[in-house]
Amino acid sequence: MSEPKTYMNLIGGEWVASQSGQTFENRNPADTREVIGIFQRSGAEDVDAAVQAAKRAYESWRLTPAPKRGEILFRAAELLRQRKEQYARDMTREMGKVLQEARGDVQEAIDMLYFMAGEGRRLYGQTTPSEMPNKFQMSVRVPKGVCGLITPWNFPMAIPSWKILPAIILGNTVVIKPAEDAPLSTYNLVQCLLDAGLPPGVVNIVTGYGEEAGEPLVRHPEVKVISFTGSTAVGQHITKVAAETMKHVSLEMGGKNGIIVMDDADLELAVQGILWGAFGTTGQRCTASSRIIAHRAIANELAERLAVRAREIKVGNGLDETVTMGPSINADQYNIVCNYVAIGKQEGARVLLGGERLTEGEYAHGYFFQPTIFVDVTPEMRIAQEEIFGPVTAIIAVDSFDEAIAVANGVKYGLSSSIYTRDVNKAFRAMRDLDTGIVYVNAPTIGAEIHLPFGGTKATGNGHREGGVQALEVFSEWKSIYVDYSGYLQRAQIDNAE
Ligand code: NAD
């Protein structure tokens, strides 16, 4: 294996070391002997330098016409398309998802680049008639300034793109603190923007650990917005810290997503969906299908068919094209998965499939776990309530549609949900009654597209959405403008009174 490359922080267009000189390693979770890169272990002083650079860049970037900003994004999309394969391989090596999914992650960033490039020619506001004669009024979006972006490792290019691109198309500048487990994919995305002509300081990267580099960004008085994706515990903490400087905070957090399978469902279709939803990305998606809420009439058959198919999942290093499931991201996450399997057994659930670490031979140096299916699960069990973030799904049997909806909604999270049914009436009732930000019909809980709003209710979010034009709300203020061309004083609500 060749010498790992050292990556610097990106501050004001310069590649610079952390002021402390400290670094950390990014290792391959499929083979921890491989170091992907050495990254800067940054602190508050590095964050401050990045925020100052972003503040300087803001003054000219906010005045750059939005269609011109969009052209840079468009060129970056073309570059990212050309580099897709290389960057997908980098991603698989740094965080373990199989190559096909890593390509999908890069594709999501390409899609977002094109979508937000187009927004450069829209960014629509409103015009509306005045209640007065000879008066014009409109609302326009204005950027907020320096935005702090904090991202997780599971979609290491897609999620940074969901935050960076709406922020900068609006004229904001950003400082991003990517996840310590997968920073390289943020570099790859940002490199395309730089090569496409993005001016220095518009996007700044500061790497490091959450408390050391993330929190100073949240505390910094010059940062106007924090956009965070990660765990609910950290999101709650960030909200409290950000309140001290009255920042706007957008949070995307955990999930405990359920697939309902009714007794009239196409079971083969449901099995395919569950396999993809539960074990795709090794269950490490915020939208992972970690609960299967099955009508009792078909629950056993569904479980058996699922187990047969899940046995065919090939676990291993995602660079091998025949592998269909990679490792857990790191030792902590691996231990969490193992602990939850133990908890599930203690609670009285039965392991139908899997439940063990894989440690021999090709698995010896990675965080590999068997695809795991629990049956005899009841809704209140911890494995049915808490986010596991691993290749573990729990089958819960229910007796009716109403019970299925109640169980699906009976968790603290509200990100994604799904129903398999051939009954259009049940499908529409589920669309209405499932209390999640995303609902799928006859598809699993994963698979969002970038041009619809993405986010969740309850403990998953704080009311904001990423994706779609809704993402623009996070990074802009509305300014309402009234132009009176009557030549005399007109008093709203007074001069036009009955
Ligand atoms: P995490 O909360 O541990 O870390 C997320 C980011 O926050 C990292 O960059 C980390 O360094 C940083 N951070 C940690 N402590 C911080 C602090 N005190 N101040 C500022 N920043 C801090 O989450 P993770 O383990 O990287 O990701 C997994 C979690 O993310 C899961 O709960 C998953 O559901 C969630 N997630 C949610 C979505 C969504 O859109 N809803 C998408 C992907 C992942």
Side-chain angles (χ1 to χ4, degrees):
M1 286 172 194
S2 55
E3 260 312 282
K5 182 177 166 188
T6 297
Y7 293 84
M8 300 292 177
N9 286 332
L10 176 63
I11 298 180
E14 305 288 328
W15 299 104
V16 292
S18 68
Q19 293 185 30
S20 70
Q22 291 188 30
T23 56
F24 67 96
E25 291 173 344
N26 175 14
R27 284 179 181 265
N28 181 347
D31 184 344
T32 55
R33 295 169 299 180
E34 186 188 4
V35 179
I36 307 303
I38 313 282
F39 289 83
Q40 302 306 307
R41 183 172 170 180
S42 311
E45 59 287 357
D46 304 299
V47 169
D48 182 55
V51 172
Q52 300 306 340
K55 203 179 158 204
R56 284 192 296 276
Y58 177 62
E59 285 316 314
S60 51
W61 183 245
R62 78 184 176 91
L63 300 177
T64 303
K68 291 280 167 218
R69 300 195 288 252
E71 285 168 19
I72 296 173
L73 269 54
F74 187 86
R75 283 198 296 274
E78 300 285 288
L79 292 171
L80 188 51
R81 280 179 57 194
Q82 291 163 18
R83 301 172 190 177
K84 179 174 173 180
E85 188 60 25
Q86 179 56 43
Y87 288 174
R89 286 177 178 275
D90 285 349
M91 188 183 296
T92 294
R93 286 170 59 233
E94 78 166 338
M95 60 72 66
K97 69 170 68 173
V98 299
L99 209 41
Q100 200 183 23
E101 292 185 36
R103 292 185 189 118
D105 197 313
V106 177
Q107 185 59 45
E108 209 167 307
I110 295 169
D111 296 343
M112 190 57 99
L113 278 162
Y114 283 130
F115 182 63
M116 285 297 161
E119 266 313 304
R121 287 193 179 268
R122 285 187 293 269
L123 295 179
Y124 294 135
Q126 295 170 305
T127 60
T128 180
S130 169
E131 60 193 46
M132 303 293 197
N134 299 321
K135 196 177 164 195
F136 175 85
Q137 49 203 34
M138 62 184 165
S139 63
V140 294
R141 285 188 188 278
V142 290
K144 290 187 176 185
V146 179
C147 304
L149 316 177
I150 300 175
T151 53
W153 45 265
N154 64 339
F155 279 83
M157 188 177 287
I159 293 178
S161 81
W162 291 359
K163 297 183 190 302
I164 293 172
L165 303 176
I168 67 175
I169 196 66
L170 282 155
N172 300 286
T173 55
V174 306
V175 177
I176 182 164
K177 204 298 283 173
E180 49 271 42
D181 283 307
L184 177 56
S185 296
T186 292
Y187 279 78
N188 288 342
L189 172 64
V190 172
Q191 191 61 55
C192 292
L193 287 164
L194 296 177
D195 293 344
L198 193 76
V202 175
V203 175
N204 304 273
I205 309 175
V206 176
T207 54
Y209 296 112
E211 284 174 17
E212 295 173 3
E215 197 151 329
L217 197 53
V218 182
R219 291 193 185 280
H220 203 294
E222 298 287 355
V223 174
K224 305 300 175 199
V225 184
I226 288 289
S227 175
F228 166 83
T229 300
S231 59
T232 298
V234 173
Q236 273 176 331
H237 173 71
I238 281 178
T239 308
K240 288 181 199 151
V241 173
E244 288 165 22
T245 41
M246 294 296 289
K247 285 184 178 50
H248 294 221
V249 179
S250 163
L251 304 171
E252 291 293 343
M253 300 172 290
K256 189 70 188 173
N257 316 288
I259 294 182
I260 296 172
V261 185
M262 292 308 299
D263 50 352
D264 61 12
D266 176 340
L267 283 195
E268 173 52 27
L269 189 65
V271 166
Q272 286 174 18
I274 295 166
L275 284 170
W276 177 227
F279 304 119
T281 326
T282 320
Q284 301 176 116
R285 289 191 186 212
C286 49
T287 51
S289 312
S290 55
R291 296 182 299 151
I292 312 304
I293 301 154
H295 194 285
R296 204 174 297 281
I298 50 87
N300 284 343
E301 187 189 345
L302 180 73
E304 292 304 330
R305 285 167 73 159
L306 189 60
V308 169
R309 297 291 292 279
R311 251 182 224 112
E312 294 166 4
I313 291 173
K314 186 172 172 196
V315 180
N317 187 327
L319 284 180
D320 174 348
E321 297 266 12
T322 65
V323 162
T324 48
M325 196 180 95
S328 292
I329 182 70
N330 57 31
D332 285 350
Q333 192 57 49
Y334 196 41
N335 289 330
I336 288 171
V337 173
C338 297
N339 286 342
Y340 270 110
V341 170
I343 289 166
K345 289 179 189 165
Q346 279 161 20
E347 288 179 309
R350 184 165 62 86
V351 176
L352 180 67
L353 184 77
E356 302 291 337
R357 292 175 194 251
L358 293 162
T359 54
E360 302 295 320
E362 60 173 311
Y363 301 126
H365 300 284
Y367 305 116
F368 295 102
F369 203 85
Q370 294 173 328
T372 299
I373 302 170
F374 272 108
V375 290
D376 300 340
V377 179
T378 54
E380 70 289 349
M381 286 182 183
R382 285 184 63 192
I383 56 165
Q385 288 288 328
E386 298 172 19
E387 187 176 49
I388 300 175
F389 232 53
V392 181
T393 198
I395 300 184
I396 305 166
V398 292
D399 290 304
S400 67
F401 173 80
D402 288 339
E403 188 186 351
I405 297 286
V407 169
N409 287 340
V411 291
K412 70 174 180 175
Y413 299 109
L415 184 52
S416 183
S417 57
S418 129
I419 182 165
Y420 281 82
T421 179
R422 289 179 168 121
D423 180 340
V424 71
N425 296 353
K426 289 199 177 76
F428 268 87
R429 282 170 59 199
M431 288 184 243
R432 183 191 62 196
D433 294 339
L434 285 167
D435 186 7
T436 52
I438 307 168
V439 175
Y440 293 89
V441 176
N442 292 329
T445 54
I446 67 175
E449 299 182 26
I450 61 103
H451 50 296
L452 275 185
F454 182 95
T457 62
K458 302 192 279 187
T460 296
N462 63 344
H464 292 287
R465 290 292 184 269
E466 303 203 296
V469 289
Q470 286 74 8
L472 301 172
E473 300 297 336
V474 174
F475 301 105
S476 59
E477 298 280 1
W478 282 110
K479 187 178 279 184
S480 298
I481 299 175
Y482 301 89
V483 182
D484 191 321
Y485 56 97
S486 67
Y488 49 88
L489 174 66
Q490 301 196 87
R491 298 172 301 173
Q493 295 92 37
I494 296 173
D495 292 339
N496 63 342
E498 294 250 316

